[in-house]
Amino acid sequence: MKQDMIVILDLGSEDSPKIAREIRALGVYSEIHPNDLTAEQIAALPGVKGFVVNGGPNNVVDGEELKVSAAVLESGLPILYVDYEGAKCWPEDDAEREAMLRAFVLDECKAETNWNMKNFIADQIELIRRQVGDKKVLLALSGGVDSSVVAALLLKAIGDQLVCVHVNHGLLRKGEPEQVVEVFRHNLHANLIYVDATDRFLGKLEGVADPEKKRKIIGAEFIRVFEEEARKLEGVKFLGQGTIYPDIVESGTKTNKVVKSHHNVGGLPDDLQFELVEPVRQLFKDEVRACGLELGLPADMVYRQPFPGPGLGVRCLGAITRDRLEALRESDAILREEFANAGLNKTVWQYFTIVPDMKSVGVRDNARCDEWPAIIRAVNTIDAMTASIEEIDWPILHKITSRIVNEVPGINRVCYDLTPKPTGTIEWE
Ligand code: XMP
């Protein structure tokens, strides 16, 4: 389907993804592209109706001010300048800001409002069928929102040609692998292969403390497991992935320094044998959920809190040990149970515990005990690019604390992380 698009030129502003979301909310598709687009690149972008040039203080890279390319200026398409060479700034008021974007996108660019999930799904089904042909797609099905939505999309597009592989890397939450098998094998009737690779992953991670190395090991090992599974199957040529738009933006565009390499994008080994199918790579998180609902996935699956690919591996800080990993898994299970009891699972976007590789002195049964702290993180966000912390009632925190220090071996202290993103990222590693 023909789809109009507004291009936001990347001049280093942290605001660009927000603007893209605001334009999409008007019903018009929007993407972020480098500031120095050439005429050929512009011609290759489908349906461009206008550009947003969003300046701001990060507009200087290596001492050089970023400029909009001549090709953009000569394209003849409408350009909205904001916060650039003295052009006016964004209005403080949300309604005024929306009105400004609306006037530009709809009146000046005359973009058609055809960006919605029905059209997106219909387009993706066609694109997936065209890309895959009669070959098989292997999907890394973690059971999280992104991979579940990708599974549902692929099932709809290619049915039996989809083979889902659920790898239990030993870094999943309590009860999770069992639930994935139940939902996808029994309820959705997907081809599902379950692989318990706990020992293999924990062996590779032994003694590795650097967060980026841990991510890369987990990502690379994941792909190897898939390759092994693929070799057992006939005709697998593609790997499905739940990469979403913030993964791509945060993994570093030209002006955007790498915040952290999300394992979907950064950790793939060079000898990768598969071609990727990433049908939700254009979507922000809230759009992925809307897509899942449109595909008929149950609401509790679609609104399930996100869980990073490297799983508990990035919450068991530093070099992972089995005993500390278990303490993390148990404390996280208690937190989730108590949040559900208090109804907070419906209002808090992401909540989990972190167990650092440090001990503090405590007292247990009248004797000194050197044990780990469990840190609680509970945040709200729309798109995971920024996040605010959730204010939890004291009695709930007291109950969780009491349960964790009494029920989880090795934990003698519970802390609550009060830091929004920025400066804290949502995960601690
Ligand atoms: P950060 O820590 O970057 O997290 O503020 C933003 C969101 O992304 C999730 N996250 C990841 N997801 N692979 C993933 O699939 C990763 O390596 C990864 N790191 C963070 C995080 O849980 C949060 O929802």
Side-chain angles (χ1 to χ4, degrees), residues 215 247 250 260-264 306-310 315 349-350 384 421 425-427 429:
R215 268 198 167 71
D247 297 341
E250 285 209 1
K260 55 175 86 162
S261 64
H262 282 256
H263 102 252
N264 291 341
F307 188 57
R315 298 173 184 173
W349 193 82
Q350 198 170 11
K421 175 183 181 178
T425 49
I426 293 176
E427 303 292 344
E429 280 192 342

Side-chain angles (χ1 to χ4, degrees), residues 181-199:
V181 171
E182 173 66 24
V183 170
F184 286 95
R185 188 176 285 164
H186 300 134
N187 301 356
L188 295 180
H189 309 293
N191 277 333
L192 174 68
I193 297 168
Y194 171 72
V195 188
D196 185 350
T198 303
D199 291 342

Side-chain angles (χ1 to χ4, degrees), residues 44-341:
L45 288 172
V48 186
K49 287 291 192 177
F51 294 96
V52 175
V53 175
N54 181 45
N58 297 333
N59 189 8
V60 175
V61 169
D62 298 332
E64 226 175 279
E65 194 181 337
L66 299 175
K67 294 272 181 201
V68 175
S69 64
V72 168
L73 301 176
E74 288 158 12
S75 68
L77 293 166
I79 304 176
L80 174 67
Y81 293 96
V82 196
D83 213 356
Y84 179 77
E85 294 187 339
K88 61 179 182 300
C89 296
W90 289 104
E92 291 285 324
D93 182 70
D94 284 349
E96 274 178 48
R97 185 182 164 106
E98 204 218 280
M100 181 168 136
L101 275 177
R102 183 180 287 276
F104 175 70
V105 172
L106 303 184
D107 303 340
E108 206 176 330
C109 300
K110 306 215 169 350
E112 224 181 297
T113 54
N114 53 10
W115 169 251
N116 60 52
M117 282 310 140
K118 264 197 179 57
N119 290 343
F120 172 80
I121 290 166
D123 281 354
Q124 285 306 320
I125 287 175
E126 205 183 304
L127 288 171
I128 291 165
R129 286 182 183 156
R130 215 184 291 162
Q131 185 186 1
V132 169
D134 60 1
K135 298 287 186 290
K136 283 188 181 138
V137 180
L138 198 59
L139 174 68
L141 179 58
S142 69
V145 181
D146 302 340
S147 64
S148 300
V149 171
V150 169
L153 246 181
L154 287 169
L155 268 174
K156 201 158 181 155
I158 55 165
D160 275 356
Q161 285 164 255
L162 172 67
V163 183
C164 300
V165 176
H166 179 59
V167 178
N168 180 0
H169 51 23
L171 303 165
L172 296 170
R173 287 171 294 195
K174 194 173 177 178
E176 207 159 46
E178 296 81 357
Q179 192 192 32
V180 168
V181 171
E182 173 66 24
V183 170
F184 286 95
R185 188 176 285 164
H186 300 134
N187 301 356
L188 295 180
H189 309 293
N191 277 333
L192 174 68
I193 297 168
Y194 171 72
V195 188
D196 185 350
T198 303
D199 291 342
R200 183 171 163 167
F201 276 82
L202 294 188
K204 287 258 170 191
L205 287 165
E206 210 172 304
V208 182
D210 180 80
E212 288 295 295
K213 277 202 190 120
K214 285 162 72 177
R215 268 198 167 71
K216 293 237 154 77
I217 288 171
I218 297 167
E221 204 56 22
F222 239 104
I223 301 299
R224 293 213 181 90
V225 173
F226 286 129
E227 280 183 324
E228 286 173 20
E229 290 308 317
R231 260 182 244 121
K232 297 180 200 159
L233 302 159
E234 297 267 294
V236 173
K237 193 170 166 225
F238 297 91
L239 184 71
Q241 287 241 43
T243 311
I244 68 171
Y245 205 48
D247 297 341
I248 290 168
V249 176
E250 285 209 1
S251 286
T253 56
K254 194 180 270 173
T255 56
N256 220 341
K257 296 256 178 332
V258 176
V259 176
K260 55 175 86 162
S261 64
H262 282 256
H263 102 252
N264 291 341
V265 179
L268 302 176
D270 297 335
D271 60 347
L272 179 69
Q273 301 279 310
F274 304 109
E275 219 176 282
L276 296 181
V277 187
E278 299 176 298
V280 298
R281 61 180 288 134
Q282 294 163 272
L283 302 186
F284 288 104
K285 197 85 194 187
D286 51 329
E287 293 174 320
V288 177
R289 293 190 210 279
C291 180
L293 287 180
E294 186 67 38
L295 285 163
L297 287 179
D300 63 343
M301 181 179 285
V302 165
Y303 286 102
R304 187 177 141 154
Q305 65 162 321
F307 188 57
L312 300 181
V314 292
R315 298 173 184 173
C316 190
L317 305 186
I320 298 167
T321 57
R322 285 184 192 244
D323 51 357
R324 196 155 52 84
L325 181 61
E326 277 325 300
L328 172 64
R329 205 186 322 266
E330 289 302 320
S331 60
D332 181 73
I334 291 171
L335 179 80
R336 286 193 291 138
E337 193 183 321
E338 291 303 330
F339 264 44
N341 287 342

